[in-house]
Amino acid sequence: MRKEKAYFITTAIDYTNAAPHIGHAYEKVLADTLARYHRLNGQPVFFLTGVDQHGQKVKQSAEREGMTPAEFAATVTAKFRALWDALDVQPDGWAETSDPRHAHAVQAILQKLCDEGELYKATHTGFYSIRQEQFLTDKERGPDGEFGAEWGEVVELAEENWYFKLSQHRDWLLAFLQKTPGFVTPAFRQAELINAVEKLSGDLCISRPKSRLDWGIELPFDRDYVTYVWFDALLNYATFIGYGKAAGDSSLPEFDDWWPCDAQVIGKDILVPAHGVYWPIMLHAMGLPDEKMPRLLVHGWWNVAGAKMSKSLGNIVDPAALVAKFGSSALRYYLMRDIATGQDADFSLERLVERYNSDLANDLGNLLNRSLSMARRYREGIVRRGGSNDSRITSLLAKTGEAACAYVGHMEAAMPQAALEAVFGLVSDLNGFIEASAPWKLAKESSSEALLDDVLYTLAECLRRIALLLEPVIPIASREMLHQLGWQPSPQSTLSDRLSNMLADGHPLGSPTPLFPRIEISPNMAA
Ligand code: MSP
């Protein structure tokens, strides 16, 4: 039985034919942020991610490097894992498609689909690129009607393969999409998908002859073939949450505890046809009912100066180098702050540094430092409630409540950017409050003792709430903020318990230490 309120989130699994880039990092940080938010909300959470290790491209890259595909995939996989560690991305499950547990479940699924008449063998005759080792379609023809030089020698070839009866389920998918708004977020992507399904024709080739590709999962009913990489990779979302696991295997979760997925986080490029067409039809053919279809959360792309990142343009942004230079809080904050979920954005190093220096170092870091230092200077680091009944204080506490509510609404809608805007609106209110209440003046007037107590207490209490709200996005910095504020949450408490559990009267604060040292950008940093 699915656990009450359980939240299951996955991301696209990353290809191991290349190094991780900033788009991969964005997707994982987004999913990790949402997972952390829901965990903080008191929900049982399972966050699954991993790597897509099979296919022609991995085989080709391995050959270029003089390695076996398995060795090559393991080397690239290690880079992804190291990056997720450095970025504080902490999945609960890790999917590697060369894992024998995955192969076992995929083969059982294929066998069942074959037994139920969902698969058939047929001969396809078409144009085949020897260099790229793939069949080409008319989409690959240039304006002159010819296949471009990038395809090398192109020959006409007849090949026998296995096909999945995709088109047989087209009407089901259309009806399902029409009756299920919210299957894809944002809604405009669902409309785009419906359009594509209306035009759908033909079945899906799900095999590759071993004579040209042997790096994949063998078809259990025809040992001369391996499974097409997308068919194998899509199934990771189910197999690594326990679908079709071997009896007695406790290394994987129980499928029914978690399924269906609340958010499959994918980029806009892999909605049609992979996740929006093949995947729901595969699940439907496997016998899953409509209410067990996973929801898709489709994000946009990070570009560079309006252009797509690509090897040929040489503009690929390496997230590992950025974390090494600026740390995980700087990169996580930027990736969550400068893009609205569903839209595209431009990556810029200058923006990253500007955001960090202005929001984290200046507005938040200085606020924390000043508040703690003033409490030390005027009250030996102990904050007390003064009972001044000052209206500015009541109104600031009310604003904190409103910002927390707005934050929750935005996080529930998977919009960390808007949630952060709400939090930083509060940071700016607090900075204004310091200037307006001028604690340094109050400290000189004996008649303002109670007000000074209230000002210092309110600053510490609001900063505590800000640190709590920032936890999903910048977990390490949030922990450090709470440490400096001398406050630890009790492990079982939820966000709402933590927010309402205010600092005690007479609470001792910790010592101030600069949390976000400014980044001074030099020309070689931009390189
Ligand atoms: N291996 C397939 C997914 C299989 S899922 C069963 C794949 N891999 S990928 O490495 O090319 O992309 C992984 C994810 O990164 C995808 O969701 C993709 O959209 C995302 N991104 C790739 N480039 C991106 C940007 N420039 N910006 C944001 N995300 C991008 O597709």
Side-chain angles (χ1 to χ4, degrees):
M1 214 36 222
R2 184 177 164 83
K3 287 176 203 147
E4 204 190 335
K5 285 172 67 199
Y7 184 78
F8 172 33
I9 182 166
T10 70
T11 72
I13 49 174
D14 301 305
Y15 278 131
T16 50
N17 63 317
H21 63 71
I22 199 72
H24 297 135
Y26 164 60
E27 186 174 280
K28 298 324 123 169
V29 171
L30 173 61
D32 185 70
T33 296
L34 297 175
R36 285 174 187 272
Y37 163 75
H38 285 279
R39 214 172 276 128
L40 196 59
N41 229 357
Q43 290 173 265
V45 171
F46 198 96
F47 165 28
L48 176 69
T49 191
V51 281
D52 184 357
Q53 297 172 312
H54 288 135
Q56 192 73 50
K57 289 187 180 147
V58 174
K59 187 184 158 208
Q60 287 167 338
S61 305
E63 273 164 9
R64 271 198 301 275
E65 301 291 323
M67 294 181 192
T68 64
E71 284 165 351
F72 179 77
T75 310
V76 181
T77 297
K79 286 190 192 155
F80 276 101
R81 289 216 82 148
L83 177 63
W84 305 150
D85 280 349
L87 264 175
D88 308 311
V89 168
Q90 287 175 352
D92 301 292
W94 179 251
E96 288 183 16
T97 51
S98 64
D99 187 322
R101 295 172 305 173
H102 175 67
H104 165 88
V106 170
Q107 288 184 328
I109 293 165
L110 284 164
Q111 187 65 60
K112 182 169 180 273
L113 291 175
C114 187
D115 295 345
E116 290 174 355
E118 294 281 352
L119 310 180
Y120 62 92
K121 205 172 182 182
T123 302
H124 171 73
T125 308
F127 292 98
Y128 184 79
S129 151
I130 296 185
R131 180 192 293 165
Q132 295 299 335
E133 299 186 41
Q134 70 178 76
F135 275 98
L136 305 178
T137 64
D138 285 343
K139 273 190 277 173
E140 276 87 40
R141 290 182 191 273
D144 57 355
E146 298 296 317
F147 296 111
E150 70 276 21
W151 301 109
E153 188 187 351
V154 175
V155 294
E156 210 171 349
L157 198 79
E159 191 175 270
E160 237 191 339
N161 266 304
W162 284 88
Y163 289 81
F164 171 47
K165 292 182 181 167
L166 199 71
S167 51
Q168 177 171 290
H169 301 287
R170 174 186 167 275
D171 292 349
W172 164 78
L173 182 55
L174 257 185
F176 170 74
L177 291 174
Q178 254 128 13
K179 71 167 191 196
T180 321
F183 171 64
V184 184
T185 300
F188 77 90
R189 294 273 176 219
Q190 180 143 342
E192 216 173 87
L193 175 59
I194 292 177
N195 244 326
V197 179
E198 276 165 354
K199 293 187 202 111
L200 180 72
S201 67
D203 290 334
L204 174 67
C205 178
I206 56 139
S207 68
R208 295 294 180 264
K210 272 194 193 165
S211 51
R212 68 177 165 96
L213 176 67
D214 58 0
W215 175 237
I217 298 176
E218 204 174 66
L219 295 188
F221 42 82
D222 197 341
R223 304 278 173 195
D224 292 335
Y225 292 85
V226 295
T227 313
Y228 168 48
V229 64
W230 267 105
F231 198 88
D232 139 23
L234 285 163
L235 285 168
N236 94 86
Y237 301 127
T239 60
F240 285 94
I241 201 76
Y243 186 91
K245 68 177 181 175
D249 180 355
S250 57
S251 66
L252 291 168
E254 291 302 321
F255 183 71
D256 290 338
D257 280 351
W258 299 100
W259 197 265
C261 195
D262 299 273
Q264 281 195 217
V265 183
I266 57 167
K268 62 180 185 177
D269 56 318
I270 54 174
L271 173 64
V272 178
H275 286 80
V277 181
Y278 303 162
W279 181 222
I281 289 184
M282 284 162 70
L283 290 168
H284 177 68
M286 283 156 62
L288 271 86
D290 292 6
E291 62 279 11
K292 293 283 182 186
M293 291 297 144
R295 308 267 139 168
L296 302 174
L297 175 63
V298 183
H299 62 75
W301 270 39
W302 283 94
N303 298 318
V304 174
K308 193 171 158 177
M309 271 181 250
S310 76
K311 261 193 199 160
S312 49
L313 286 175
N315 62 355
I316 292 189
V317 178
D318 173 12
L322 294 172
V323 197
K325 270 179 192 161
F326 305 122
S328 86
S329 296
L331 187 55
R332 285 180 69 108
Y333 179 72
Y334 173 70
L335 290 176
M336 292 299 95
R337 184 67 185 82
D338 244 24
I339 188 168
T341 314
Q343 306 296 314
D344 289 352
D346 250 340
F347 181 89
S348 126
L349 186 68
E350 288 70 24
R351 270 296 281 169
L352 185 160
V353 171
E354 188 187 306
R355 274 269 174 229
Y356 173 91
N357 280 343
S358 85
D359 299 3
L360 296 179
N362 251 12
D363 295 354
L364 179 60
N366 283 348
L367 171 67
L368 176 71
N369 212 266
R370 280 174 94 189
S371 305
L372 291 171
S373 305
M374 288 189 296
R376 271 202 146 189
R377 191 167 324 125
Y378 307 131
R379 292 293 185 260
E380 289 167 343
I382 310 283
V383 286
R384 292 193 186 80
R385 312 195 74 155
S388 67
N389 284 327
D390 189 278
S391 64
R392 283 170 303 181
I393 289 177
T394 345
S395 116
L396 193 60
L397 287 170
K399 270 191 190 164
T400 324
E402 284 156 24
C405 262
Y407 165 96
V408 166
H410 295 311
M411 287 302 241
E412 290 290 333
M415 303 291 247
Q417 183 197 41
L420 286 173
E421 251 171 46
V423 177
F424 279 83
L426 197 58
V427 169
S428 131
D429 289 342
L430 279 179
N431 277 316
F433 174 70
I434 295 192
E435 293 314 312
S437 57
W440 48 93
K441 284 192 195 146
L442 300 178
K444 290 185 190 141
E445 304 156 4
S446 57
S447 59
S448 299
E449 294 255 308
L451 182 55
L452 179 59
D453 275 335
D454 275 339
V455 167
L456 296 174
Y457 175 90
T458 306
L459 285 171
E461 172 56 25
C462 291
L463 277 161
R464 185 189 71 89
R465 296 187 199 181
I466 287 170
L468 290 172
L469 298 176
L470 288 176
E471 198 272 347
V473 178
I474 43 172
I476 305 290
S478 152
R479 214 168 304 147
E480 178 56 24
M481 273 183 80
L482 290 175
H483 177 72
Q484 294 194 23
L485 289 161
W487 190 86
Q488 292 305 314
S490 69
Q492 299 311 320
S493 58
T494 65
L495 177 63
S496 97
D497 301 332
R498 292 176 190 188
L499 287 172
S500 48
N501 200 352
M502 292 172 69
L503 291 177
D505 196 7
H507 172 83
L509 297 170
S511 352
T513 325
L515 185 54
F516 302 109
R518 278 184 72 81
I519 299 171
E520 300 305 336
I521 188 149
S522 59
N524 61 347
M525 260 188 179

